[in-house]
Amino acid sequence: MPGPFPYESFTSDRLPAWRCPACLNASLVLVPGSFTTRDTADSLRHRGEDWYTEEDDREVFCCMLECSRADCRESVSVAGTGRGMIDFDEQMRKTGWYTLYRAITFVPPLPLFRLPDACPEDVKNQLETIAALIPVSLNAAVNALRVTLELLLDELSVARLTDGERPKIIPLATRIRDSEATLGEHFAAFDALKDLGNHGSHTNGRIRRSHVEGACLILDELIQQLFALRPDHAKMVATLKATYGKK
Ligand SMILES: [Zn+2]
C-alpha cells in the first residue's frame, strides 16, 4: 500500500495528507474557497429545542482538492458528512465545540494499492473499486475484494467453469481448495481473504476496519508478488560462472 489507510476524520482547518491518485505523492491540497458545508434538514428542524446540543449538529460537505505538483495537477472531488463534537478541558468542563468531518466519496478514488504495469486492467479496475467502496461500506468493499480473488485465479489459469456440455460456475472456495499446488505460498492468503469476502457477501455482520486494512495489505503484497517485474540476474550469473568458475 502506498501509505496508511487514508480515511481518518478531520477538521476543516486541518485536512489529512491525502495521496494524489495520479502521482501517488502526499501532495493534494484544498482548492481555496471550495470547502462548502450545509446543515442537514434534521439539524435545521431541531436546533433551538431544549434537548438539542452541539453534539446533535449534522452537516454535509463537499470540496475540491488539487495536486500541488506542477507536473501533475490532478483534481479530486470529495464529499461527506460532519458532526458536532464538544471540546473539554482537563477538568471535563466544556470549552467549545467543533465539527468533525468524514469523507465518503473521492473521485477519482485515493490510491490504496501499488499497481505494477503488468497488472491486468480488470484487476486494476477492481482494486480501484475496493478503494472507492471502503469509506462507503466495508461490507461492499470486501465483497469487491472477493471478486478480485476470482480475477486473480483467472490470471493463474484456475478454471472458473466445470468441464462438459453444460459448464457450471465453480464456487470460489472450491477453486482455491483445488488449486493449492498452483497457489503454493499464496494459498493461505487466498483462503483467508476468501473467508473475509464471504462475510461481506453473505451477511450484514460487522466487519472491523482494522481487518479490512490488514486484508488490503495482504492483497497489495499478493499483487506485487504476482505482477511486479523482478530483476532477472540469470544472464550475469551465467557470465560470472563462465568467466570465473572452474573450467
Ligand atoms: Zn499528483
Side-chain angles (χ1 to χ4, degrees), residues 20 23 27 67 72:
C20 171
C23 71
S27 47
C67 179
C72 181

Side-chain angles (χ1 to χ4, degrees), residues 157-179:
S157 302
V158 176
R160 198 188 264 244
L161 299 172
T162 57
D163 292 331
E165 278 190 19
R166 291 186 177 178
K168 289 181 180 165
I169 293 173
I170 303 172
L172 176 61
T174 307
R175 293 183 83 194
I176 293 174
R177 191 181 62 229
D178 292 350
S179 56

Side-chain angles (χ1 to χ4, degrees), residues 20-25 27-28 67-69 72-74:
C20 171
C23 71
L24 306 184
N25 292 290
S27 47
L28 289 178
C67 179
S68 59
R69 293 174 67 96
C72 181
R73 314 298 284 179
E74 175 70 301

Side-chain angles (χ1 to χ4, degrees), residues 52-193:
Y52 195 95
T53 72
E54 289 91 340
E55 280 184 309
D56 297 307
D57 249 22
R58 296 291 183 273
E59 298 177 12
V60 291
F61 83 90
C62 62
C63 68
M64 192 68 77
L65 310 174
E66 67 177 353
C67 179
S68 59
R69 293 174 67 96
D71 58 348
C72 181
R73 314 298 284 179
E74 175 70 301
S75 295
V76 178
S77 63
V78 187
T81 59
R83 61 183 303 159
M85 304 289 287
I86 295 178
D87 254 341
F88 295 97
D89 64 13
E90 290 174 354
Q91 279 78 43
M92 292 305 290
R93 287 175 305 207
K94 183 178 159 187
T95 57
W97 73 284
Y98 59 96
T99 306
L100 194 62
Y101 294 99
R102 190 172 83 85
I104 295 176
T105 60
F106 295 87
V107 182
L110 296 181
L112 201 57
F113 300 96
R114 296 168 291 167
L115 301 177
D117 288 341
C119 184
E121 279 304 309
D122 56 351
V123 175
K124 283 183 184 174
N125 291 339
Q126 198 60 28
L127 293 172
E128 275 197 0
T129 300
I130 295 173
L133 286 174
I134 284 173
V136 179
S137 160
L138 293 178
N139 286 62
V142 299
N143 195 17
L145 184 149
R146 189 182 186 283
V147 175
T148 312
L149 298 182
E150 299 272 19
L151 297 176
L152 292 177
L153 290 173
D154 293 344
E155 289 300 318
L156 294 168
S157 302
V158 176
R160 198 188 264 244
L161 299 172
T162 57
D163 292 331
E165 278 190 19
R166 291 186 177 178
K168 289 181 180 165
I169 293 173
I170 303 172
L172 176 61
T174 307
R175 293 183 83 194
I176 293 174
R177 191 181 62 229
D178 292 350
S179 56
E180 186 167 354
T182 304
L183 293 174
E185 62 177 327
H186 305 311
F187 172 77
F190 267 80
D191 196 43
L193 293 177

